[in-house]
Amino acid sequence: GRFHPFRHAGRVSLLPQDSRLPLHGQVAELLHYYGRLQGIAEAELPGAVERVLDWVHLRDRRDSPIRTLSHGMARRVTIAQAFLGEPELILLDEPLSGLDPREVSHLRESIRQRRGHQTIIVSSHVLSEIEAICDAVAFIEAGRLVRQDKVEVITRRGHSITYRLQPGAVPLAELERIQPGARWELTTEGTSLTVQFESDTMTIPAFNAQVLAILLRAGIGIVEVRCGSDLESEYLASTRGKP
């Protein structure tokens, strides 16, 4: 049914991409105010505020005026408010933009650890960020849903392997005997070999053991082995030619 802000207080929270904080007041004071809006009981507010300040590494700035915060610190305050009171559904729009690499790494891992406890929906143009955080993804182009599935399925991590090689005579015929039905693609210059396969009996390590042995016997230098594709490549392939 229709969302009602009072009936659903505390269950849903939002972090807009371009959120701005009021410059008056202090960090903890502002979070207390947001906590009241979320419907957190007055007795529980101090503990809830301290927990989110710890989470975003801002405990030492709890009494700082908002106007003295750097852009990254202010962004972390807005992230903290989205998690106040442990809401069931959290909507995050470009949550990690403007943060330094250390905080990006910390918050990315912290969000991953909340799997199974909350539903977190992340909107981002940085697809590597989605790939690192999310279990499932939806591609939306011009307001239309183009593709939706688990990240593991879309990136084909369990069914596609790419080998980056030094130039040489790759023994394709021998490789094709490893797994009947597998589809092999070798670039013209012979430096990239991709295989796609479906198998319930052969694991990727077992498959690699045979492939690498054949390549090494043939004297092919192996530069890199990578499982699956990436979300950026899959997004571009899914939306190519779309208006």
Side-chain angles (χ1 to χ4, degrees):
R2 182 178 299 176
F3 177 81
H4 192 288
F6 297 108
R7 189 182 309 128
H8 295 90
R11 300 183 62 194
V12 181
S13 68
L14 168 68
L15 170 65
Q17 177 181 357
D18 298 319
S19 55
R20 296 288 185 269
L21 298 172
L23 297 180
H24 62 275
Q26 299 171 328
V27 171
E29 179 183 57
L30 184 60
L31 288 174
H32 274 79
Y33 172 69
Y34 288 143
R36 291 189 190 98
L37 293 180
Q38 273 288 77
I40 301 174
E42 199 69 31
E44 299 173 6
L45 263 175
V49 168
E50 295 305 313
R51 280 194 295 274
V52 292
L53 283 174
D54 277 342
W55 189 61
V56 296
H57 294 162
L58 284 177
R59 173 69 78 92
D60 61 333
R61 303 304 297 265
R62 69 181 311 283
D63 297 320
S64 298
I66 296 295
R67 66 178 68 252
T68 67
L69 301 180
S70 68
H71 174 76
M73 288 179 181
R75 187 62 176 167
R76 280 147 61 192
V77 173
T78 63
I79 293 171
Q81 67 80 28
F83 286 87
L84 264 173
E86 302 291 325
E88 298 170 31
L89 174 63
I90 303 173
L91 309 173
L92 305 177
D93 190 5
E94 302 286 358
L96 304 183
S97 64
L99 301 183
D100 66 55
R102 193 183 311 276
E103 289 302 328
V104 167
S105 176
H106 163 68
L107 287 169
R108 182 190 293 141
E109 182 57 32
S110 297
I111 291 172
R112 277 200 296 251
Q113 289 175 1
R114 291 174 178 264
R115 288 171 173 165
H117 301 285
Q118 294 164 297
T119 298
I120 302 175
I121 298 177
V122 180
S123 171
S124 179
H125 292 91
V126 184
L127 297 186
S128 58
E129 181 180 303
I130 298 292
E131 190 171 345
I133 294 175
C134 298
D135 298 312
V137 64
F139 294 153
I140 298 175
E141 179 79 1
R144 291 178 293 176
L145 179 63
V146 176
R147 191 176 178 191
Q148 179 179 356
D149 215 321
K150 293 180 179 178
V151 170
E152 185 172 338
V153 171
I154 288 182
T155 57
R156 294 171 286 127
R157 288 176 185 160
H159 306 287
S160 177
I161 310 172
T162 297
Y163 304 89
R164 192 155 61 90
L165 312 171
Q166 292 179 336
V170 176
L172 265 180
E174 190 175 355
L175 292 169
E176 288 170 347
R177 288 195 289 270
I178 296 174
Q179 183 71 36
R183 300 187 304 279
W184 295 85
E185 295 180 19
L186 180 65
T187 57
T188 305
E189 63 275 15
T191 57
S192 180
L193 175 68
T194 299
V195 59
Q196 297 183 39
F197 66 96
E198 301 286 338
S199 176
D200 296 326
T201 58
M202 187 177 296
T203 64
I204 284 182
F207 189 83
N208 276 333
Q210 297 189 49
V211 172
L212 297 180
I214 292 171
L215 293 175
L216 290 172
R217 281 199 305 270
I220 305 295
I222 302 163
V223 178
E224 181 185 26
V225 179
R226 179 167 52 88
C227 288
S229 180
D230 56 75
L231 282 185
E232 182 175 292
S233 299
E234 294 301 320
Y235 172 79
L236 293 173
S238 297
T239 59
R240 189 175 293 126
K242 303 282 182 183

